[in-house]
Amino acid sequence: MKKNEKTNVMRTLDQKKVEYEIKVLEDADGLTGTEIAEKLDENPDQAFKTLVTTGKTGNHYVFVIPVAAELNLKKAASAVGEKNIEMLKQKDLLPLTGYVHGGCSPIGMKKFFRTVINDTAKNFDEMYFSAGKIGHQVKVKVEDVEKVIRVEFADVIN
């Protein structure tokens, strides 16, 4: 990655003076989050994916969960006080967030949505998540994520 090729995630972290490390995996298209984590020598339990959902009320919510886990829609709905939620349709992701599927990050979306990080993140000092481009990961201290965006922690996985 070229020096000046910053994503919204990196620009936001720079702006908030939050330290981070970037890891890049070329040709990551079509790989799962777990495969990317393994190729980048990351603990998959520390590598998180960002999922965008829609509640019954029409509000959007962001859930950040371990790459190998599945979002439990009942727990997720309960965590945000919704009767039920469903995954956002893939075609709606880019217009809503500014990110493509596989490169979605909780930081730097077009607008802020209520964000819940699975509570297993608190087992670690640092976590990995997308830097806003497929194959680009950012490593940030868990406590520093809270300096950049408002987050809640809850058990939202199966």
Side-chain angles (χ1 to χ4, degrees):
M1 191 159 96
K2 296 180 201 78
K3 192 86 176 114
N4 60 358
E5 197 183 327
K6 294 216 171 204
T7 64
N8 278 350
V9 176
M10 293 178 240
R11 282 191 284 276
T12 304
L13 292 170
D14 288 344
Q15 200 177 3
K16 300 281 187 179
K17 300 194 177 2
V18 169
E19 283 185 35
Y20 61 93
E21 186 184 308
I22 291 291
K23 288 187 156 192
V24 177
L25 178 65
E26 300 300 336
D27 301 325
D29 275 351
L31 295 179
T32 66
T34 307
E35 290 166 332
I36 291 172
E38 285 167 0
K39 287 185 185 289
L40 290 175
D41 207 22
E42 300 166 357
N43 174 349
D45 294 338
Q46 256 178 291
F48 287 74
K49 58 187 171 186
T50 304
L51 304 174
V52 182
T53 62
T54 307
K56 193 167 176 63
T57 60
N59 291 332
H60 297 292
Y61 303 95
V62 175
F63 293 93
V64 183
I65 67 170
V67 291
E70 275 190 39
L71 184 65
N72 180 311
L73 294 174
K74 275 191 173 35
K75 287 182 184 178
S78 170
V80 295
E82 286 275 3
K83 275 194 171 45
N84 60 34
I85 59 170
E86 58 185 42
M87 295 302 298
L88 184 73
K89 289 179 179 48
Q90 194 170 322
K91 69 177 175 53
D92 297 333
L93 187 64
L94 181 61
L96 183 72
T97 66
Y99 289 126
V100 297
H101 180 75
C104 191
S105 178
I107 295 174
M109 287 190 183
K110 283 183 177 179
K111 68 181 259 203
F112 177 78
F113 300 105
R114 187 167 170 192
T115 302
V116 177
I117 298 177
N118 194 67
D119 58 9
T120 55
K122 290 195 169 233
N123 297 340
F124 305 100
D125 291 334
E126 298 163 326
M127 64 190 292
Y128 297 92
F129 50 83
S130 176
K133 270 179 115 169
I134 293 173
H136 291 61
Q137 295 280 87
V138 64
K139 178 169 89 173
V140 183
K141 286 192 172 104
V142 174
E143 65 191 36
D144 284 349
V145 175
E146 296 178 86
K147 294 176 185 170
V148 182
I149 56 170
R150 289 186 315 280
V151 297
E152 302 159 48
F153 291 88
D155 171 17
V156 292
I157 58 175
N158 287 332

